[in-house]
Amino acid sequence: MNEIDHEIIFKYTGYRRADFSVCLGCKICASVCTVNDLELNVNPQELLMKLFVGEIIEGDHPLVRYCTSCYRCASACPWQIRIPEVVRALKESLGIEARFEKAFKKCINIWGRVYEPFVVVMAAPDLLKGGYIKYMPKWMEYAGFHLPHKVKRVSSSKTSKGLNPTEEGRS
Ligand code: SF4
Ligand code: SF4
């Protein structure tokens, strides 16, 4: 990747090179990165620093290959740096399109929405070949985290006691 491609990334994301200089180096992004959960030693901050100093980033960078665009890093970052968007711009400039991305785009073209069974069928060769299956328990754990959790109800008598202390005093 050359210097012009760096400029394309800044154009796609709306960031300027100097914007990455605000990074605190706290590595919170690394600690919450979904890809890092798979022990690939991924550090989104390192990617930003490489862009900041104008280093070449190849297509085999773990984030370019595996970033899930989950936005955990962006929401945890004190500066809310949108790292997944940087990764997507990187992929565009490198001409990399993952099978999942192709599947999602095709779905949108055909149905105007994401149709999960179609995505799974289209991505099946990658899932089987790339050894993703062995990570399924980890992904399920992650997916489970986002499921709605039941909130315990306080019994109605306790609620009325807590909410209406004056009424209780009257009775
Ligand atoms: S969006 Fe990408 S870089 Fe950020 S936490 Fe998720 S996988 Fe990691
Ligand atoms: S969380 Fe944000 S500020 Fe901290 S290292 Fe990552 S990109 Fe930099």
Side-chain angles (χ1 to χ4, degrees):
M1 189 169 61
N2 56 33
E3 191 60 20
I4 295 164
D5 292 317
H6 278 83
E7 293 313 319
I8 290 172
I9 290 159
F10 300 134
K11 194 178 133 202
Y12 282 160
T13 56
Y15 283 126
R16 292 161 303 148
R17 187 188 298 276
D19 292 332
F20 296 140
S21 65
V22 299
C23 172
L24 303 168
C26 60
K27 293 193 175 63
I28 291 174
C29 50
S31 70
V32 298
C33 179
T34 315
V35 179
N36 214 14
D37 284 353
L38 307 176
E39 294 173 44
L40 288 168
N41 232 354
V42 171
N43 179 1
Q45 180 234 358
E46 170 252 10
L47 184 86
L48 296 184
M49 286 305 101
K50 276 191 169 177
L51 284 171
F52 179 60
V53 297
E55 256 190 56
I56 289 170
I57 298 166
E58 305 289 353
D60 60 355
H61 189 283
L63 275 185
V64 175
R65 292 181 66 189
Y66 301 116
C67 174
T68 57
S69 290
C70 64
Y71 275 78
R72 282 173 94 180
C73 54
S75 54
C77 171
W79 292 107
Q80 311 271 288
I81 300 172
R82 303 182 313 275
I83 297 165
E85 289 167 30
V86 175
V87 174
R88 273 205 297 278
L90 252 170
K91 280 181 164 180
E92 287 281 341
S93 77
L94 288 165
I96 294 171
E97 200 177 43
R99 200 183 286 268
F100 273 109
E101 284 163 338
K102 272 188 209 156
F104 282 126
K105 282 180 191 168
K106 207 161 183 180
C107 273
I108 301 293
N109 280 339
I110 299 173
W111 293 287
R113 64 176 284 265
V114 173
Y115 183 50
E116 287 85 357
F118 180 81
V119 173
V120 171
V121 169
M122 264 199 85
D126 268 5
L127 290 169
L128 296 170
K129 239 195 306 172
Y132 284 95
I133 295 294
K134 70 177 178 217
Y135 295 122
M136 278 307 271
K138 194 82 194 171
W139 287 111
M140 293 311 288
E141 193 185 302
Y142 177 65
F145 175 77
H146 289 279
L147 291 174
H149 292 279
K150 209 171 181 182
V151 177
K152 271 192 184 169
R153 280 175 167 269
V154 181
S155 76
S156 56
S157 61
K158 276 185 188 169
T159 310
S160 68
K161 265 186 196 174
L163 289 176
N164 301 309
T166 47
E167 272 180 24
E168 196 183 291
R170 267 185 243 137
S171 62

